[in-house]
Amino acid sequence: MPKSSWSRKLEYGGQTWHEHCFLCSGCEQPLGSRSFVPDKGAHYCVPCYENKFAPRCARCSKTLTQGGVTYRDQPWHRECLVCTGCQTPLAGQQFTSRDEDPYCVTCFGELFAPKCSSCKRPIVGLGGGKYVSFEDRHWHHNCFSCARCSTSLVGQGFVPDGDQVLCQGCSQAGP
């Protein structure tokens, strides 16, 4: 037999192929000794298998070959899931979203959360944060206190006095 027609034989799964006959089911190139992935009777080189079957990142559309995170029931590369405001990576961090865009707690608070009428910092509900609302004003629980005597008004009656809130005692004492 002439040397040009001679071919190595490859064995896999109890079957034997000529080296030039053992082809990738995607690109139809010989697999030879390259790594391949069997799938329902077909054989794929790793790049073809990843392009055909691997999930794609919702942000960059590239394949996820390992790791990744799920956000809104879609796969993301860890490095692609970032805050819409400051681009900080969010994987493994507490974050929230608005209009389907992810935000870190800090950016969400600065951009969208109501501000405390007392300390002026954002009121974010993550971590069980509680707050009090009255008309168009809001307070953190620990900031909701009488403007004169600083007694906590949480769960107590209070009297609005312009931009301030007073406890019953201070409101009755007058200015």
Side-chain angles (χ1 to χ4, degrees), residues 10 19-20 33 64 69 81 85 93 115 156-157 165 174:
L10 301 173
E19 184 176 33
H20 63 274
S33 59
L64 281 138
V69 294
L81 183 60
Q93 306 296 319
K115 306 301 185 271
Q156 306 296 317
V165 288

Side-chain angles (χ1 to χ4, degrees), residues 143-158:
C143 294
F144 189 55
S145 57
C146 177
R148 290 191 190 154
C149 70
S150 300
T151 299
S152 175
L153 297 174
V154 175
Q156 306 296 317
F158 64 93

Side-chain angles (χ1 to χ4, degrees), residues 106-174:
T106 303
C107 284
F108 185 84
E110 292 299 322
L111 295 169
F112 307 112
K115 306 301 185 271
C116 177
S117 294
S118 180
C119 72
K120 309 300 182 216
R121 291 192 321 261
I123 298 172
V124 291
L126 295 175
K130 296 181 178 179
Y131 65 96
V132 175
S133 291
F134 174 70
E135 294 176 347
D136 62 347
R137 294 181 284 171
H138 313 281
W139 295 265
H140 295 103
H141 254 213
N142 58 341
C143 294
F144 189 55
S145 57
C146 177
R148 290 191 190 154
C149 70
S150 300
T151 299
S152 175
L153 297 174
V154 175
Q156 306 296 317
F158 64 93
V159 176
D161 183 30
D163 288 344
Q164 301 177 340
V165 288
L166 303 174
C167 67
Q168 297 288 344
C170 288
S171 74
Q172 292 172 357

Side-chain angles (χ1 to χ4, degrees), residues 35-48:
S35 296
F36 67 93
V37 181
D39 184 65
K40 299 175 189 155
H43 306 95
Y44 295 92
C45 65
V46 174
C48 284

Side-chain angles (χ1 to χ4, degrees), residues 17-75:
W17 287 272
H18 293 111
E19 184 176 33
H20 63 274
C21 295
F22 190 55
L23 305 176
C24 170
S25 298
C27 64
E28 298 184 359
Q29 295 298 309
L31 290 170
S33 59
R34 297 186 318 176
S35 296
F36 67 93
V37 181
D39 184 65
K40 299 175 189 155
H43 306 95
Y44 295 92
C45 65
V46 174
C48 284
Y49 184 82
E50 288 175 353
N51 283 333
K52 185 170 181 133
F53 298 107
R56 296 194 174 272
C57 175
R59 182 171 187 207
C60 72
S61 299
K62 293 181 183 173
T63 58
L64 281 138
T65 55
Q66 56 183 305
V69 294
T70 300
Y71 170 64
R72 296 211 176 267
D73 294 326
Q74 294 180 328

